[in-house]
Structure formats: structure tokens, C-alpha cells
Amino acid sequence: MSIEVKNLHKQFGSFTALDDISLNFPSGELVALLGPSGCGKTTLLRIIAGLEQADSGSVILEGDDASATHVRERQVGFVFQHYALFKHMTVFDNVAFGLRMKPRKSRPSEKVIAEKVHRLLELVQLDWLADRFPSQLSGGQRQRIALARALAVEPRVLLLDEPFGALDAKVRKELRRWLRKLHDELHITSIFVTHDQEEALEVADRVVMMDHGKVEQVGTPDEVYNQPETPFVYGFLGSVNLFHGRVDDGHLHIGDDVIHNQGENYDHGSEVYAFARPHELEIVTDNEQVNGLSAKVNRVLSFGLNSRVELDGINSAEGQHFEVELNPQRVDELSLTSGQIVKLVPSKLKLFHRDSINKDSHV
Amino acid sequence: MSSVKSFSVLPGFGLSMGFTLVYLSLIILIPLSAVFIITSALTWTEFWAVVTAPRVVASYKLSFGASLGAAAINSVFGLMLAWVLVRYSFPGKKIVDALIDLPFALPTAVAGISLTALYAPNGWLGQFIQGSLGIKVAFAPLGVLVALVFIGLPFVVRTVQPVLQDLETELEEAASSLGANRWQTFRYVLMPILLPALMTGFALAFARAVGEYGSVIFIAGNIPMVSEITPLMIITKLEQYDYTGATAIAAVMLVVSFVMLLIINALQSWAGKRTGRNK
């Protein structure tokens, strides 16, 4: 089922949680709402679920305006960060809850309920825990039960609020993959909220990037990662190096250094921010070369597939830190020593006008 | 050959357990056993005659009946009060919260006198209740109930309040997202969680009510066979220097109260087991 929100606005006192949000979630997709804490992503999810009321704007479920519909009648499955399992019920009773609460007319018989609960528990691979109480389960198991409970009422959409937020890193990874698989089997329109960019990029079909109650970018994981439209998106997804510079005659000037052939589309004298990911920088030890930004090597970390070089800015970039990712062979060739002055040459650089960045942006 | 000394991670079990037992004996067991020792001066027939005298039996009925009734009333309204105090914010909430404890702190005689003044046939409330509804509150069994409700209220509120405070609102949100209406959410989600605390509050309010003397004797009117409570019977015997008679009635009260509290505790642990709280 498709979900559409139109011109949603939500205010908590003087804090604007959602600022004129309009989005479209196509049927059957798994969408991630990604952003830093306080960006409004959870509020948006709760408004879609009906757990919270927007100040203005509407929520449209499958073409029908559901803004005035109570959460009870919206038929949405909601999964909470802290599971919200009923501690006084067994796993079985938890999953059966939604079916047993149906009005007498539409309530299935206990036999049908039992069959359905067992089928759902098999789906989340926890059938053997039916008689346990939630306190006897691990965090990952609890969240899977919470998901089974939400699915029991055959919701039209599935909403997950930081579903893996309370779990440790290893279980998180496992559940992520499992959620993706489950979604591929069920094809139920799902939205999940996360502040973990890796999680969003790995699991979702589409990512909605949010900051300060506004949508920054909507796109596939590939699009938002490789073609970030705003400095915020660039900075939020993955590590990034930031340079403050000025465009002169198609060259980027950073202090006394020049990076050639950058910013051709910018007016002469434009103040810009330039972004480059760690793997998009090359280190040149030949100080005679004019092209590139000077920096001082701080230390070299060589473990894993790639080696990382941490550098400190000098001259105009004093106090800044840069990170370059190279393959180990290249690091060996360069034989860098701590304190050595080198030049950084970007293979790819993304420029933004300086006034396009809010002062309080998370860059 | 030396044997390995076994030790526990939590030290001081022997010492603290010994202290607990001595303390418990000094404060509770020895005074209570005195009741039985003094009572044993009576023969069984004498004892039976004292504790089944019609006036005494009538007082048991009133004491235990009114105490159970008051505890039940307090459970309902105490839960409501605790709910309002935890869930809503309103001006003067701190004051209401402090008011709840007043029955704890007030000398019971003061409570008795003010309740009597209010509910007496010529009192502020009494004249209306008796005049228009024809119901007699003060100097009747109903007055006893009113006094016991008054002194028992804090127990329920104070036991339920912390549990309500810890209750995540997410549970209710989860229930309603699964299609449960307000009543179903209360009945199947909230009540099972609150029940143990509510039962503890009930037991405490009941225990306090059974032993209450000061506030009740003023409002009860102490009419033989109608509005005499058991503690009053004990005092009456004492005033007649009938110590053994007094302790005999006391022993009966003690046993009945103990059995009732035991039953409540058993119910509580049964409820706990059924819902997986304790194994």
C-alpha cells in the first residue's frame, strides 16, 4: 500500500520537528528515514502511524486521507526501539494479542489464532520460544517477536522506529540482513527510522535524508551516496574531508595552495566549500609540484584492506584534520614519516557555495 | 590437607541473617507470643466463651467487613488518584501529591473528631446526607467505613504510583496499534502489570484498617452489637482489668489478620508466577 504525506508541520513548543514535509512512499518498498537525532524522523514516523498528530498537513494511505483516523483503525504495524513487548505474557500470547483484541465478529477462533501465531513464529525463526516470557529472551529475539506481533494483524504498512538501535553491533548486522530478506518475501510497504547511515544504505530500497525537520534528499542508496545534493548529505554519509576555498579563473584556491581545474561553473571569486571522500584524495610527496593542498602527515594506520593516513592542515588550514585512504602498496611506495609535509591532490571534488550551508548544519 | 573455604559473592550472610532474626524476635515475635502466653491462662471453654460472646462476634463482623470494604474502595479510587498524579500535569499537582500522605501523618484522633464533626446528624455534610437521603453516616457502621477509607488511602496510592511511573507509554501505544481499544488495553495490558502493586496496597490498607482505633471510636458511636469494632472490645476488657479476656480477643484478631495477609500474599505470588514475573 502506498503512503503519501502532504505539507506536514509539527511544532513542539518553540522547536520545529517537521517543517512542511511532503513525501511519497510507493507500494512495496523498504524506505529508510535517515538523519541525526532531533531531525524529526521519528516524529514523522509516529505521525504516519497515528501515534502523534500533525499540526497541519495530511497523511494519505492508499489514496484515502487518514489524518483523522485513530491508530487503532489505520492498520499499521509499529515496531518500537525498545520492543514494547508485554512482559506479563508469553511470546505466544504477545503475538496472538492483536488477533484476540479483534471485535467478536471478526475474531478468528483460538485454533486459527494458534496456527497463525506458529506460522509467524516460524517466519521469524523463533517457534521454539513460544512458551517463554520476554524477560527470558535476548534483545535480538525480542525484536523479532515484536515484529511477528506487528505482522499478526496483517498491517497494510510496517513502521519501524530505530528497530536495531538497542542491539549490539553483531546482532544489528545479522538482523539487518534478516529484515531485508523478510521484506523481499513479504513485500509489505515498510518505513524504518535510523541514524545509522550504514544501516540505511545497506537495507533500504530508498533513503530519505532529513535534517532540522526538512527533507534534504530522497534517492536510492547509490544516488544519495554518490551524488549528494546538499553539503549535509555529503557530510552525513561516510567520512569526508572539507576544504574552505575560493574559485579564481577555474582554479580552486585554498590559502596559498591551488587545486587546478576545479569550479569551472563558479563565478570568479566565489567562496566555496569543497568535499572529498578519503579515497578520492591522492598523496604526492614531490613538494615541487604546484597542484595540491599542503598538509602534514600525522600517522599512518595500516590494518584492514586499505590503509588510512591521518594528516593535519598547515598554513591556512591550521587546526583541520584530513583523512586519506590508500591501498597498502601505495603507502609502502610513499614511505611516509610522521611530520612530513605532502600535497593532497583530489581525484574528485564536490563544491558547494559557502552561503548554501547553514551555520548549524552537521558538516 | 586444607579444605577450600566456600564463600559467597555477597558477604555477611551469617551476620545480617542473625541480626535480622534477633531484631524480628525482639520487635515482633516476643510481644506477639506474649499475647498467646497470657491467653493460655484461660481454659478452652473460658476462651471460647470470651471470643464468641455475641457482642464480640458482632464486632469481628464489623471490623473485618468494614476493613475489607474500605481496602476495596481504596483500591479503586487509590488507583485512579495514582493514575491522575502520574499521567497528567495540572496546577497544584505537588500539593495534591502531598495531601495524599496527610492521613499518615495526622493523629488518628484528629481525623476521627473532624470526620465526626462533618458527618454528625447536625454536621456540615451529615445534615444533608441524613436530611435528604435518610442515610446515617456518623454513629453507624457506615461511619466506621468512612474513617477506614480515610486512613487507608495513602497505602494504595503510594504502592501503585511507582509502578505506574515506570510503565512505558509505548506499551499502550503498541496495544492500540495492534487494534486494542482503551478498555482492552486497560484490562489486558495495564491491569496485569499493576495488579501485584494494587494487591500489596490492598493488603496494607486492610491491615491498617483492622488495627485502627483512634479515628474510628469517635465516629462509630460505639453502639453495642451495631457499631463496636474489635479493638474497642479489647480496650473495654482492659478497662475492666480483664487482661486475659482482652488478649483472648487479641489472639483471635491476630490469627485472622495473619491468615488473611497470608492468603493475599499467596494470591500475589500466584499472579506473579502466572505472568512470568517470578519463577
Side-chain angles (χ1 to χ4, degrees), chain A residues 210-256:
Chain A
M210 288 181 69
D211 187 36
H212 286 91
K214 285 198 165 82
V215 173
E216 292 274 329
Q217 189 175 355
V218 182
T220 63
D222 183 56
E223 277 165 12
V224 291
Y225 188 81
N226 290 318
Q227 295 148 40
E229 282 168 9
T230 68
F232 166 78
V233 177
Y234 210 113
F236 196 79
L237 297 176
S239 27
V240 74
N241 295 293
L242 168 68
F243 311 104
H244 308 259
R246 186 168 43 83
V247 176
D248 272 334
D249 287 334
H251 302 302
L252 179 66
H253 291 257
I254 302 166
D256 300 333

Side-chain angles (χ1 to χ4, degrees), chain B:
Chain B
M1 281 271 294
S2 69
S3 64
V4 177
K5 193 173 177 291
S6 73
F7 65 91
S8 155
V9 185
L10 297 171
F13 172 73
L15 187 67
S16 55
M17 188 65 191
F19 181 78
T20 308
L21 286 180
V22 170
Y23 190 79
L24 210 63
S25 308
L26 276 176
I27 300 291
I28 298 179
L29 290 179
I30 293 177
L32 289 190
S33 58
V35 169
F36 292 98
I37 292 165
I38 296 172
T39 309
S40 65
L42 294 172
T43 65
W44 273 110
T45 32
E46 283 168 335
F47 173 77
W48 196 248
V50 172
V51 300
T52 58
R55 237 177 106 184
V56 178
V57 171
S59 81
Y60 295 148
K61 284 183 188 158
L62 179 62
S63 259
F64 290 109
S67 297
L68 282 173
I73 292 172
N74 275 329
S75 298
V76 175
F77 291 98
L79 173 63
M80 213 148 89
L81 257 168
W83 181 270
V84 169
L85 282 175
V86 170
R87 282 301 166 89
Y88 309 112
S89 57
F90 50 89
K93 181 173 165 170
K94 286 255 163 65
I95 295 169
V96 174
D97 201 40
L99 274 178
I100 305 266
D101 285 328
L102 223 51
F104 270 147
L106 211 63
T108 50
V110 176
I113 291 166
S114 48
L115 285 174
T116 312
L118 267 181
Y119 288 105
N122 55 355
W124 288 352
L125 285 172
Q127 53 183 331
F128 297 113
I129 297 175
Q130 195 157 4
S132 53
L133 301 171
I135 299 168
K136 198 172 174 196
V137 181
F139 315 129
L142 191 58
V144 178
L145 188 72
V146 169
L148 295 182
V149 167
F150 175 81
I151 52 133
L153 178 69
F155 293 95
V156 177
V157 178
R158 291 298 178 230
T159 47
V160 172
Q161 212 176 5
V163 181
L164 257 179
Q165 223 134 31
D166 289 344
L167 205 68
E168 311 152 81
T169 46
E170 282 188 353
L171 288 180
E172 288 162 68
E173 290 176 352
S176 63
S177 80
L178 291 166
N181 58 34
R182 279 311 292 170
W183 162 247
Q184 288 172 320
T185 306
F186 178 76
R187 165 73 184 78
Y188 297 104
V189 176
L190 299 180
M191 236 3 228
I193 297 170
L194 293 178
L195 198 61
L198 203 57
M199 280 165 85
T200 305
F202 178 89
L204 289 173
F206 168 74
R208 172 72 205 271
V210 166
E212 178 59 16
Y213 177 75
S215 60
V216 177
I217 47 155
F218 290 101
I219 200 173
N222 308 327
I223 306 157
M225 303 297 294
V226 177
S227 60
E228 278 183 324
I229 55 167
T230 311
L232 179 76
M233 298 311 301
I234 297 171
I235 298 283
T236 313
K237 295 266 181 212
L238 284 177
E239 279 168 350
Q240 294 158 359
Y241 301 106
D242 181 7
Y243 291 127
T244 43
T247 52
I249 302 175
V252 171
M253 269 196 99
L254 202 67
V255 170
V256 174
S257 298
F258 185 71
V259 168
M260 282 186 149
L261 291 177
L262 209 62
I263 292 171
I264 294 173
N265 267 327
L267 273 175
Q268 221 173 342
S269 87
W270 170 77
K273 227 173 256 158
R274 207 175 52 111
T275 57
R277 240 181 300 268
N278 35 28
K279 282 134 232 158

Side-chain angles (χ1 to χ4, degrees), chain A residues 53-65:
Chain A
Q53 291 282 313
D55 297 334
S56 61
S58 48
V59 177
I60 295 153
L61 301 177
E62 213 164 22
D64 297 327
D65 191 336

Side-chain angles (χ1 to χ4, degrees), chain A residues 46 72 85 87-88 101, chain B residues 168 171 173 180 184 188 192:
Chain A
R46 290 173 61 86
R72 215 166 36 237
L85 289 176
K87 295 177 192 70
H88 58 282
M101 292 302 116
Chain B
E168 311 152 81
L171 288 180
E173 290 176 352
Q184 288 172 320
Y188 297 104

Side-chain angles (χ1 to χ4, degrees), chain A residues 67-292:
Chain A
S67 308
T69 315
H70 193 271
V71 53
R72 215 166 36 237
E73 278 112 35
R74 282 202 196 179
Q75 287 180 277
V76 294
F78 202 95
V79 174
F80 297 85
Q81 179 176 5
H82 297 288
Y83 328 122
L85 289 176
F86 306 129
K87 295 177 192 70
H88 58 282
M89 296 182 197
T90 60
V91 163
F92 181 94
D93 291 334
N94 262 286
V95 178
F97 184 84
L99 296 170
R100 285 179 177 157
M101 292 302 116
K102 279 183 190 289
R104 204 172 291 276
K105 268 179 282 170
S106 55
R107 191 186 309 159
S109 70
E110 271 302 309
K111 196 165 150 269
V112 177
I113 291 178
E115 274 169 25
K116 183 152 188 188
V117 170
H118 282 295
R119 222 174 32 246
L120 279 162
L121 287 175
E122 270 163 32
L123 183 73
V124 299
Q125 300 153 2
L126 291 175
D127 201 24
W128 50 289
L129 290 175
D131 297 326
R132 302 272 186 94
F133 285 97
S135 58
Q136 296 163 300
L137 308 184
S138 72
Q141 289 170 337
R142 283 181 212 184
Q143 199 54 293
R144 269 145 72 187
I145 296 301
L147 196 62
R149 183 180 66 175
L151 289 172
V153 289
E154 293 176 8
R156 302 190 291 175
V157 288
L158 192 59
L159 307 172
L160 308 103
D161 182 13
E162 304 243 7
F164 315 128
L167 304 171
D168 61 68
K170 190 162 164 276
V171 181
R172 251 177 123 102
K173 251 198 156 117
E174 239 173 71
L175 274 190
R176 243 188 246 169
R177 215 164 301 142
W178 175 82
L179 176 68
R180 182 67 240 185
K181 212 176 115 239
L182 190 76
H183 183 263
D184 291 339
E185 281 171 36
L186 299 174
H187 280 297
I188 173 169
T189 312
S190 310
I191 304 176
F192 77 101
V193 158
T194 180
H195 60 257
D196 181 341
Q197 36 116 352
E198 205 182 307
E199 194 168 291
L201 297 178
E202 204 179 296
V203 178
D205 294 316
R206 287 203 311 151
V207 178
V208 175
M209 294 281 314
M210 288 181 69
D211 187 36
H212 286 91
K214 285 198 165 82
V215 173
E216 292 274 329
Q217 189 175 355
V218 182
T220 63
D222 183 56
E223 277 165 12
V224 291
Y225 188 81
N226 290 318
Q227 295 148 40
E229 282 168 9
T230 68
F232 166 78
V233 177
Y234 210 113
F236 196 79
L237 297 176
S239 27
V240 74
N241 295 293
L242 168 68
F243 311 104
H244 308 259
R246 186 168 43 83
V247 176
D248 272 334
D249 287 334
H251 302 302
L252 179 66
H253 291 257
I254 302 166
D256 300 333
D257 296 320
V258 184
I259 297 169
H260 290 298
N261 305 320
Q262 291 288 347
E264 284 89 347
N265 305 329
Y266 285 80
D267 292 337
H268 181 81
S270 305
E271 300 280 334
V272 294
Y273 282 124
F275 290 90
R277 301 225 182 264
H279 65 266
E280 291 165 350
L281 287 176
E282 174 59 29
I283 291 179
V284 180
T285 44
D286 173 16
N287 281 317
E288 299 304 303
Q289 187 182 315
V290 191
N291 186 25

Side-chain angles (χ1 to χ4, degrees), chain A residues 2-5 22-27 29 31 60 206 208 218:
Chain A
S2 67
I3 307 167
E4 201 186 336
V5 297
S22 296
L23 283 167
N24 201 358
F25 302 91
S27 202
E29 272 196 2
V31 181
I60 295 153
R206 287 203 311 151
V208 175
V218 182

